[in-house]
Amino acid sequence: MQRKGDTNSKVYLVESGLLRSYTIDEKGKEHIYMFGPENWLVTDNCKPETPCQLFIDAIEDSILNVASKEEMVKETPDFNALFRRLNSMQNRIVMLMSSSAKERYEHFVETYPNIIPRVPLKMVASYLGITPEALSRVRNELSKNK
Amino acid sequence: MQRKGDTNSKVYLVESGLLRSYTIDEKGKEHIYMFGPENWLVTDNCKPETPCQLFIDAIEDSILNVASKEEMVKETPDFNALFRRLNSMQNRIVMLMSSSAKERYEHFVETYPNIIPRVPLKMVASYLGITPEALSRVRNELSKNK
DNA sequence: CCTATGCCTTGATGTACATCAAGAAATGAC
DNA sequence: GTCATTTCTTGATGTACATCAAGGCATAGG
């Protein structure tokens, strides 16, 4: 139905049935991102033109109302901000489920390089869901490898 | 600025500065939910009339554009669905950062009781970010205590 | 019937991270 | 400057969860 890397910018409104969207990590393990029961809107919260990171398929036989993201944009002002927001939440959840503390930190540094110098590291640790001690060791590790 | 339990249904658009929204768990530890640098919209994604679960305050001196959620609703159709969605993502992230596998499972059962019987437990485990084995042990634990 | 295949469980062991404790380094108050 | 406070680091130990391996129990197909 939808596979990682597709640029299928669809939005699925579930009329009946049950969808799931999920990632598959490098070890081949699935991480379900969301179940989509009746009346849920299932989509990859990435920008319409970018490749998807999620797989979407049906767990039960389902009836769907399919729209394109572009259509939705017309109906909803400032949808770009919403996409950004939802997208970052999504990334966050996926990171929390499937990445190590080190990976989450590296991702954070890449994504929000301007935040790092502006907050105490313990706040970054908190954002990443780890302790300041763990973050300290992660950074120690990373600086050695350079 | 905003404290947990307030029904301060405000939306903060950050013009300059830096906000953070965060939870404090039962051990008194803070879990930052989001940083709000320039041009970000910071709010608790709960319904306008419900008490907030997040604290919001400023890390740097900040200039904010404050609106009420009600105002935003008028400008954006189907905002209710959006609130539900954002709210569930937020809960999810908070759970992932601060709760044990057991707590996450209990929360899931309460929140989506209708999902459980409809999917294999291994999918629930995946949704919770744990292995099927771990979920099995958690359920084992819980059934003993009844 | 027998044999797959997928799901769930249980046990043994490993590991990433937390917790606790202490000290170093930076920051600010006076 | 001194002292206090906060931040960051380092080490020792604990624990929640993962991983690996095996077996039981279904349901489906021959």
PDB file of all heavy atoms in Angstrom, chain A residues 67-97:
ATOM      1  N   ALA A  67      -7.172  10.890   0.026  1.00  0.00           N
ATOM      2  CA  ALA A  67      -7.002  12.242  -0.499  1.00  0.00           C
ATOM      3  C   ALA A  67      -5.515  12.501  -0.661  1.00  0.00           C
ATOM      4  O   ALA A  67      -4.685  11.780  -0.112  1.00  0.00           O
ATOM      5  CB  ALA A  67      -7.614  13.267   0.449  1.00  0.00           C
ATOM      6  N   SER A  68      -5.177  13.518  -1.409  1.00  0.00           N
ATOM      7  CA  SER A  68      -3.772  13.883  -1.497  1.00  0.00           C
ATOM      8  C   SER A  68      -3.501  14.967  -0.460  1.00  0.00           C
ATOM      9  O   SER A  68      -4.389  15.697  -0.049  1.00  0.00           O
ATOM     10  CB  SER A  68      -3.442  14.420  -2.883  1.00  0.00           C
ATOM     11  OG  SER A  68      -4.032  15.691  -3.053  1.00  0.00           O
ATOM     12  N   LYS A  69      -2.260  15.056  -0.047  1.00  0.00           N
ATOM     13  CA  LYS A  69      -1.921  16.102   0.913  1.00  0.00           C
ATOM     14  C   LYS A  69      -2.184  17.491   0.315  1.00  0.00           C
ATOM     15  O   LYS A  69      -2.602  18.397   1.017  1.00  0.00           O
ATOM     16  CB  LYS A  69      -0.462  15.968   1.330  1.00  0.00           C
ATOM     17  CG  LYS A  69      -0.217  14.764   2.236  1.00  0.00           C
ATOM     18  CD  LYS A  69       1.226  14.635   2.622  1.00  0.00           C
ATOM     19  CE  LYS A  69       1.434  13.340   3.399  1.00  0.00           C
ATOM     20  NZ  LYS A  69       2.853  13.009   3.566  1.00  0.00           N
ATOM     21  N   GLU A  70      -1.943  17.597  -0.987  1.00  0.00           N
ATOM     22  CA  GLU A  70      -2.160  18.881  -1.638  1.00  0.00           C
ATOM     23  C   GLU A  70      -3.605  19.360  -1.459  1.00  0.00           C
ATOM     24  O   GLU A  70      -3.851  20.527  -1.174  1.00  0.00           O
ATOM     25  CB  GLU A  70      -1.817  18.804  -3.126  1.00  0.00           C
ATOM     26  CG  GLU A  70      -0.329  18.750  -3.429  1.00  0.00           C
ATOM     27  CD  GLU A  70       0.281  17.369  -3.173  1.00  0.00           C
ATOM     28  OE1 GLU A  70      -0.473  16.436  -2.801  1.00  0.00           O
ATOM     29  OE2 GLU A  70       1.493  17.227  -3.301  1.00  0.00           O
ATOM     30  N   GLU A  71      -4.538  18.440  -1.607  1.00  0.00           N
ATOM     31  CA  GLU A  71      -5.940  18.822  -1.412  1.00  0.00           C
ATOM     32  C   GLU A  71      -6.175  19.364  -0.019  1.00  0.00           C
ATOM     33  O   GLU A  71      -6.866  20.346   0.190  1.00  0.00           O
ATOM     34  CB  GLU A  71      -6.859  17.610  -1.629  1.00  0.00           C
ATOM     35  CG  GLU A  71      -6.960  17.153  -3.072  1.00  0.00           C
ATOM     36  CD  GLU A  71      -7.793  15.873  -3.155  1.00  0.00           C
ATOM     37  OE1 GLU A  71      -8.990  15.945  -2.850  1.00  0.00           O
ATOM     38  OE2 GLU A  71      -7.229  14.819  -3.499  1.00  0.00           O
ATOM     39  N   MET A  72      -5.570  18.673   0.953  1.00  0.00           N
ATOM     40  CA  MET A  72      -5.790  19.096   2.332  1.00  0.00           C
ATOM     41  C   MET A  72      -5.202  20.465   2.587  1.00  0.00           C
ATOM     42  O   MET A  72      -5.758  21.262   3.338  1.00  0.00           O
ATOM     43  CB  MET A  72      -5.175  18.084   3.286  1.00  0.00           C
ATOM     44  CG  MET A  72      -5.881  16.759   3.249  1.00  0.00           C
ATOM     45  SD  MET A  72      -5.769  15.932   4.829  1.00  0.00           S
ATOM     46  CE  MET A  72      -6.702  17.021   5.879  1.00  0.00           C
ATOM     47  N   VAL A  73      -4.069  20.727   1.942  1.00  0.00           N
ATOM     48  CA  VAL A  73      -3.430  22.019   2.151  1.00  0.00           C
ATOM     49  C   VAL A  73      -4.363  23.158   1.775  1.00  0.00           C
ATOM     50  O   VAL A  73      -4.463  24.166   2.463  1.00  0.00           O
ATOM     51  CB  VAL A  73      -2.119  22.113   1.332  1.00  0.00           C
ATOM     52  CG1 VAL A  73      -1.596  23.529   1.336  1.00  0.00           C
ATOM     53  CG2 VAL A  73      -1.087  21.157   1.894  1.00  0.00           C
ATOM     54  N   LYS A  74      -5.092  22.958   0.683  1.00  0.00           N
ATOM     55  CA  LYS A  74      -5.991  24.018   0.228  1.00  0.00           C
ATOM     56  C   LYS A  74      -7.059  24.328   1.259  1.00  0.00           C
ATOM     57  O   LYS A  74      -7.499  25.461   1.401  1.00  0.00           O
ATOM     58  CB  LYS A  74      -6.657  23.599  -1.087  1.00  0.00           C
ATOM     59  CG  LYS A  74      -5.723  23.696  -2.278  1.00  0.00           C
ATOM     60  CD  LYS A  74      -6.433  23.311  -3.566  1.00  0.00           C
ATOM     61  CE  LYS A  74      -5.388  23.088  -4.664  1.00  0.00           C
ATOM     62  NZ  LYS A  74      -5.747  21.957  -5.514  1.00  0.00           N
ATOM     63  N   GLU A  75      -7.472  23.299   1.978  1.00  0.00           N
ATOM     64  CA  GLU A  75      -8.556  23.500   2.933  1.00  0.00           C
ATOM     65  C   GLU A  75      -8.065  24.041   4.271  1.00  0.00           C
ATOM     66  O   GLU A  75      -8.844  24.513   5.068  1.00  0.00           O
ATOM     67  CB  GLU A  75      -9.289  22.176   3.180  1.00  0.00           C
ATOM     68  CG  GLU A  75      -9.956  21.639   1.914  1.00  0.00           C
ATOM     69  CD  GLU A  75     -10.496  20.234   2.153  1.00  0.00           C
ATOM     70  OE1 GLU A  75     -10.535  19.823   3.319  1.00  0.00           O
ATOM     71  OE2 GLU A  75     -10.866  19.583   1.174  1.00  0.00           O
ATOM     72  N   THR A  76      -6.795  23.913   4.522  1.00  0.00           N
ATOM     73  CA  THR A  76      -6.294  24.260   5.849  1.00  0.00           C
ATOM     74  C   THR A  76      -5.156  25.257   5.770  1.00  0.00           C
ATOM     75  O   THR A  76      -4.088  24.945   5.263  1.00  0.00           O
ATOM     76  CB  THR A  76      -5.781  23.002   6.564  1.00  0.00           C
ATOM     77  OG1 THR A  76      -6.743  21.967   6.439  1.00  0.00           O
ATOM     78  CG2 THR A  76      -5.519  23.293   8.016  1.00  0.00           C
ATOM     79  N   PRO A  77      -5.377  26.455   6.270  1.00  0.00           N
ATOM     80  CA  PRO A  77      -4.324  27.471   6.214  1.00  0.00           C
ATOM     81  C   PRO A  77      -3.142  27.080   7.087  1.00  0.00           C
ATOM     82  O   PRO A  77      -3.294  26.341   8.051  1.00  0.00           O
ATOM     83  CB  PRO A  77      -5.018  28.716   6.766  1.00  0.00           C
ATOM     84  CG  PRO A  77      -6.201  28.220   7.509  1.00  0.00           C
ATOM     85  CD  PRO A  77      -6.597  26.908   6.924  1.00  0.00           C
ATOM     86  N   ASP A  78      -1.996  27.570   6.763  1.00  0.00           N
ATOM     87  CA  ASP A  78      -0.767  27.323   7.514  1.00  0.00           C
ATOM     88  C   ASP A  78      -0.502  25.843   7.728  1.00  0.00           C
ATOM     89  O   ASP A  78      -0.111  25.404   8.795  1.00  0.00           O
ATOM     90  CB  ASP A  78      -0.795  28.030   8.860  1.00  0.00           C
ATOM     91  CG  ASP A  78       0.630  28.214   9.383  1.00  0.00           C
ATOM     92  OD1 ASP A  78       1.564  27.960   8.592  1.00  0.00           O
ATOM     93  OD2 ASP A  78       0.786  28.591  10.547  1.00  0.00           O
ATOM     94  N   PHE A  79      -0.756  25.106   6.700  1.00  0.00           N
ATOM     95  CA  PHE A  79      -0.562  23.680   6.825  1.00  0.00           C
ATOM     96  C   PHE A  79       0.911  23.326   6.842  1.00  0.00           C
ATOM     97  O   PHE A  79       1.317  22.290   7.360  1.00  0.00           O
ATOM     98  CB  PHE A  79      -1.261  22.956   5.671  1.00  0.00           C
ATOM     99  CG  PHE A  79      -1.901  21.685   6.099  1.00  0.00           C
ATOM    100  CD1 PHE A  79      -3.157  21.696   6.688  1.00  0.00           C
ATOM    101  CD2 PHE A  79      -1.252  20.474   5.944  1.00  0.00           C
ATOM    102  CE1 PHE A  79      -3.741  20.525   7.097  1.00  0.00           C
ATOM    103  CE2 PHE A  79      -1.836  19.294   6.355  1.00  0.00           C
ATOM    104  CZ  PHE A  79      -3.082  19.324   6.935  1.00  0.00           C
ATOM    105  N   ASN A  80       1.717  24.199   6.289  1.00  0.00           N
ATOM    106  CA  ASN A  80       3.161  23.929   6.294  1.00  0.00           C
ATOM    107  C   ASN A  80       3.708  23.838   7.711  1.00  0.00           C
ATOM    108  O   ASN A  80       4.458  22.930   8.031  1.00  0.00           O
ATOM    109  CB  ASN A  80       3.907  25.024   5.532  1.00  0.00           C
ATOM    110  CG  ASN A  80       3.659  24.910   4.045  1.00  0.00           C
ATOM    111  OD1 ASN A  80       3.404  23.817   3.547  1.00  0.00           O
ATOM    112  ND2 ASN A  80       3.704  26.028   3.347  1.00  0.00           N
ATOM    113  N   ALA A  81       3.286  24.763   8.537  1.00  0.00           N
ATOM    114  CA  ALA A  81       3.743  24.741   9.928  1.00  0.00           C
ATOM    115  C   ALA A  81       3.282  23.452  10.594  1.00  0.00           C
ATOM    116  O   ALA A  81       4.024  22.825  11.348  1.00  0.00           O
ATOM    117  CB  ALA A  81       3.193  25.951  10.674  1.00  0.00           C
ATOM    118  N   LEU A  82       2.081  23.071  10.280  1.00  0.00           N
ATOM    119  CA  LEU A  82       1.553  21.849  10.862  1.00  0.00           C
ATOM    120  C   LEU A  82       2.348  20.636  10.431  1.00  0.00           C
ATOM    121  O   LEU A  82       2.652  19.753  11.230  1.00  0.00           O
ATOM    122  CB  LEU A  82       0.094  21.673  10.441  1.00  0.00           C
ATOM    123  CG  LEU A  82      -0.863  22.138  11.515  1.00  0.00           C
ATOM    124  CD1 LEU A  82      -2.255  22.296  10.956  1.00  0.00           C
ATOM    125  CD2 LEU A  82      -0.844  21.135  12.656  1.00  0.00           C
ATOM    126  N   PHE A  83       2.693  20.613   9.171  1.00  0.00           N
ATOM    127  CA  PHE A  83       3.494  19.492   8.682  1.00  0.00           C
ATOM    128  C   PHE A  83       4.829  19.444   9.402  1.00  0.00           C
ATOM    129  O   PHE A  83       5.277  18.384   9.838  1.00  0.00           O
ATOM    130  CB  PHE A  83       3.731  19.608   7.174  1.00  0.00           C
ATOM    131  CG  PHE A  83       2.719  18.865   6.365  1.00  0.00           C
ATOM    132  CD1 PHE A  83       2.006  19.484   5.361  1.00  0.00           C
ATOM    133  CD2 PHE A  83       2.479  17.517   6.610  1.00  0.00           C
ATOM    134  CE1 PHE A  83       1.063  18.790   4.623  1.00  0.00           C
ATOM    135  CE2 PHE A  83       1.536  16.811   5.876  1.00  0.00           C
ATOM    136  CZ  PHE A  83       0.827  17.451   4.885  1.00  0.00           C
ATOM    137  N   ARG A  84       5.456  20.586   9.523  1.00  0.00           N
ATOM    138  CA  ARG A  84       6.743  20.617  10.213  1.00  0.00           C
ATOM    139  C   ARG A  84       6.611  20.073  11.613  1.00  0.00           C
ATOM    140  O   ARG A  84       7.412  19.263  12.079  1.00  0.00           O
ATOM    141  CB  ARG A  84       7.271  22.054  10.290  1.00  0.00           C
ATOM    142  CG  ARG A  84       8.075  22.501   9.098  1.00  0.00           C
ATOM    143  CD  ARG A  84       9.094  23.567   9.489  1.00  0.00           C
ATOM    144  NE  ARG A  84       8.500  24.644  10.279  1.00  0.00           N
ATOM    145  CZ  ARG A  84       7.777  25.620   9.764  1.00  0.00           C
ATOM    146  NH1 ARG A  84       7.573  25.678   8.463  1.00  0.00           N
ATOM    147  NH2 ARG A  84       7.271  26.568  10.535  1.00  0.00           N
ATOM    148  N   ARG A  85       5.585  20.531  12.261  1.00  0.00           N
ATOM    149  CA  ARG A  85       5.387  20.150  13.647  1.00  0.00           C
ATOM    150  C   ARG A  85       5.130  18.653  13.781  1.00  0.00           C
ATOM    151  O   ARG A  85       5.765  17.953  14.566  1.00  0.00           O
ATOM    152  CB  ARG A  85       4.200  20.914  14.194  1.00  0.00           C
ATOM    153  CG  ARG A  85       3.926  20.609  15.615  1.00  0.00           C
ATOM    154  CD  ARG A  85       2.554  21.049  16.007  1.00  0.00           C
ATOM    155  NE  ARG A  85       2.455  21.039  17.449  1.00  0.00           N
ATOM    156  CZ  ARG A  85       3.012  21.937  18.218  1.00  0.00           C
ATOM    157  NH1 ARG A  85       3.700  22.918  17.690  1.00  0.00           N
ATOM    158  NH2 ARG A  85       2.906  21.848  19.516  1.00  0.00           N
ATOM    159  N   LEU A  86       4.191  18.185  13.020  1.00  0.00           N
ATOM    160  CA  LEU A  86       3.841  16.775  13.095  1.00  0.00           C
ATOM    161  C   LEU A  86       5.030  15.919  12.708  1.00  0.00           C
ATOM    162  O   LEU A  86       5.291  14.867  13.295  1.00  0.00           O
ATOM    163  CB  LEU A  86       2.657  16.484  12.166  1.00  0.00           C
ATOM    164  CG  LEU A  86       1.342  17.104  12.611  1.00  0.00           C
ATOM    165  CD1 LEU A  86       0.307  17.005  11.499  1.00  0.00           C
ATOM    166  CD2 LEU A  86       0.829  16.416  13.870  1.00  0.00           C
ATOM    167  N   ASN A  87       5.749  16.407  11.721  1.00  0.00           N
ATOM    168  CA  ASN A  87       6.901  15.655  11.258  1.00  0.00           C
ATOM    169  C   ASN A  87       7.956  15.529  12.356  1.00  0.00           C
ATOM    170  O   ASN A  87       8.524  14.461  12.566  1.00  0.00           O
ATOM    171  CB  ASN A  87       7.498  16.364  10.041  1.00  0.00           C
ATOM    172  CG  ASN A  87       8.492  15.483   9.324  1.00  0.00           C
ATOM    173  OD1 ASN A  87       8.333  14.263   9.292  1.00  0.00           O
ATOM    174  ND2 ASN A  87       9.507  16.092   8.756  1.00  0.00           N
ATOM    175  N   SER A  88       8.181  16.600  13.066  1.00  0.00           N
ATOM    176  CA  SER A  88       9.207  16.529  14.102  1.00  0.00           C
ATOM    177  C   SER A  88       8.755  15.621  15.241  1.00  0.00           C
ATOM    178  O   SER A  88       9.561  14.891  15.834  1.00  0.00           O
ATOM    179  CB  SER A  88       9.565  17.924  14.605  1.00  0.00           C
ATOM    180  OG  SER A  88       8.621  18.371  15.532  1.00  0.00           O
ATOM    181  N   MET A  89       7.458  15.639  15.543  1.00  0.00           N
ATOM    182  CA  MET A  89       6.953  14.741  16.585  1.00  0.00           C
ATOM    183  C   MET A  89       7.133  13.292  16.166  1.00  0.00           C
ATOM    184  O   MET A  89       7.512  12.433  16.950  1.00  0.00           O
ATOM    185  CB  MET A  89       5.477  15.007  16.841  1.00  0.00           C
ATOM    186  CG  MET A  89       5.204  16.373  17.417  1.00  0.00           C
ATOM    187  SD  MET A  89       3.443  16.689  17.554  1.00  0.00           S
ATOM    188  CE  MET A  89       3.100  15.972  19.160  1.00  0.00           C
ATOM    189  N   GLN A  90       6.836  13.088  14.922  1.00  0.00           N
ATOM    190  CA  GLN A  90       6.961  11.733  14.391  1.00  0.00           C
ATOM    191  C   GLN A  90       8.403  11.243  14.481  1.00  0.00           C
ATOM    192  O   GLN A  90       8.673  10.136  14.963  1.00  0.00           O
ATOM    193  CB  GLN A  90       6.493  11.738  12.944  1.00  0.00           C
ATOM    194  CG  GLN A  90       6.714  10.448  12.225  1.00  0.00           C
ATOM    195  CD  GLN A  90       6.121  10.527  10.836  1.00  0.00           C
ATOM    196  OE1 GLN A  90       4.957  10.823  10.661  1.00  0.00           O
ATOM    197  NE2 GLN A  90       6.936  10.279   9.833  1.00  0.00           N
ATOM    198  N   ASN A  91       9.312  12.073  14.046  1.00  0.00           N
ATOM    199  CA  ASN A  91      10.730  11.702  14.116  1.00  0.00           C
ATOM    200  C   ASN A  91      11.118  11.398  15.553  1.00  0.00           C
ATOM    201  O   ASN A  91      11.829  10.433  15.824  1.00  0.00           O
ATOM    202  CB  ASN A  91      11.615  12.828  13.599  1.00  0.00           C
ATOM    203  CG  ASN A  91      11.554  12.930  12.098  1.00  0.00           C
ATOM    204  OD1 ASN A  91      11.259  11.953  11.416  1.00  0.00           O
ATOM    205  ND2 ASN A  91      11.802  14.117  11.574  1.00  0.00           N
ATOM    206  N   ARG A  92      10.643  12.218  16.416  1.00  0.00           N
ATOM    207  CA  ARG A  92      10.928  12.071  17.828  1.00  0.00           C
ATOM    208  C   ARG A  92      10.492  10.707  18.330  1.00  0.00           C
ATOM    209  O   ARG A  92      11.251   9.987  18.978  1.00  0.00           O
ATOM    210  CB  ARG A  92      10.148  13.162  18.562  1.00  0.00           C
ATOM    211  CG  ARG A  92      10.422  13.245  19.991  1.00  0.00           C
ATOM    212  CD  ARG A  92      11.658  14.069  20.207  1.00  0.00           C
ATOM    213  NE  ARG A  92      11.932  14.093  21.622  1.00  0.00           N
ATOM    214  CZ  ARG A  92      11.216  14.769  22.488  1.00  0.00           C
ATOM    215  NH1 ARG A  92      10.225  15.514  22.069  1.00  0.00           N
ATOM    216  NH2 ARG A  92      11.517  14.708  23.755  1.00  0.00           N
ATOM    217  N   ILE A  93       9.272  10.369  18.036  1.00  0.00           N
ATOM    218  CA  ILE A  93       8.725   9.095  18.517  1.00  0.00           C
ATOM    219  C   ILE A  93       9.512   7.928  17.935  1.00  0.00           C
ATOM    220  O   ILE A  93       9.886   6.991  18.638  1.00  0.00           O
ATOM    221  CB  ILE A  93       7.234   8.985  18.151  1.00  0.00           C
ATOM    222  CG1 ILE A  93       6.423  10.007  18.942  1.00  0.00           C
ATOM    223  CG2 ILE A  93       6.717   7.575  18.430  1.00  0.00           C
ATOM    224  CD1 ILE A  93       4.984  10.166  18.493  1.00  0.00           C
ATOM    225  N   VAL A  94       9.785   8.024  16.660  1.00  0.00           N
ATOM    226  CA  VAL A  94      10.531   6.944  16.012  1.00  0.00           C
ATOM    227  C   VAL A  94      11.915   6.798  16.636  1.00  0.00           C
ATOM    228  O   VAL A  94      12.369   5.692  16.930  1.00  0.00           O
ATOM    229  CB  VAL A  94      10.644   7.196  14.492  1.00  0.00           C
ATOM    230  CG1 VAL A  94      11.636   6.243  13.860  1.00  0.00           C
ATOM    231  CG2 VAL A  94       9.283   7.052  13.837  1.00  0.00           C
ATOM    232  N   MET A  95      12.564   7.930  16.876  1.00  0.00           N
ATOM    233  CA  MET A  95      13.883   7.883  17.502  1.00  0.00           C
ATOM    234  C   MET A  95      13.799   7.224  18.885  1.00  0.00           C
ATOM    235  O   MET A  95      14.621   6.396  19.242  1.00  0.00           O
ATOM    236  CB  MET A  95      14.461   9.292  17.666  1.00  0.00           C
ATOM    237  CG  MET A  95      14.766  10.038  16.388  1.00  0.00           C
ATOM    238  SD  MET A  95      16.023   9.243  15.362  1.00  0.00           S
ATOM    239  CE  MET A  95      17.510   9.584  16.325  1.00  0.00           C
ATOM    240  N   LEU A  96      12.806   7.625  19.652  1.00  0.00           N
ATOM    241  CA  LEU A  96      12.680   7.094  21.008  1.00  0.00           C
ATOM    242  C   LEU A  96      12.458   5.587  21.004  1.00  0.00           C
ATOM    243  O   LEU A  96      12.929   4.872  21.875  1.00  0.00           O
ATOM    244  CB  LEU A  96      11.524   7.783  21.737  1.00  0.00           C
ATOM    245  CG  LEU A  96      11.786   9.212  22.199  1.00  0.00           C
ATOM    246  CD1 LEU A  96      10.495   9.867  22.652  1.00  0.00           C
ATOM    247  CD2 LEU A  96      12.802   9.237  23.326  1.00  0.00           C
ATOM    248  N   MET A  97      11.743   5.124  19.994  1.00  0.00           N
ATOM    249  CA  MET A  97      11.432   3.699  19.963  1.00  0.00           C
ATOM    250  C   MET A  97      12.578   2.856  19.448  1.00  0.00           C
ATOM    251  O   MET A  97      12.728   1.713  19.833  1.00  0.00           O
ATOM    252  CB  MET A  97      10.201   3.443  19.090  1.00  0.00           C
ATOM    253  CG  MET A  97       8.907   3.841  19.736  1.00  0.00           C
ATOM    254  SD  MET A  97       7.530   3.012  18.927  1.00  0.00           S
ATOM    255  CE  MET A  97       7.642   3.709  17.291  1.00  0.00           C
TER     256      MET A  97
END
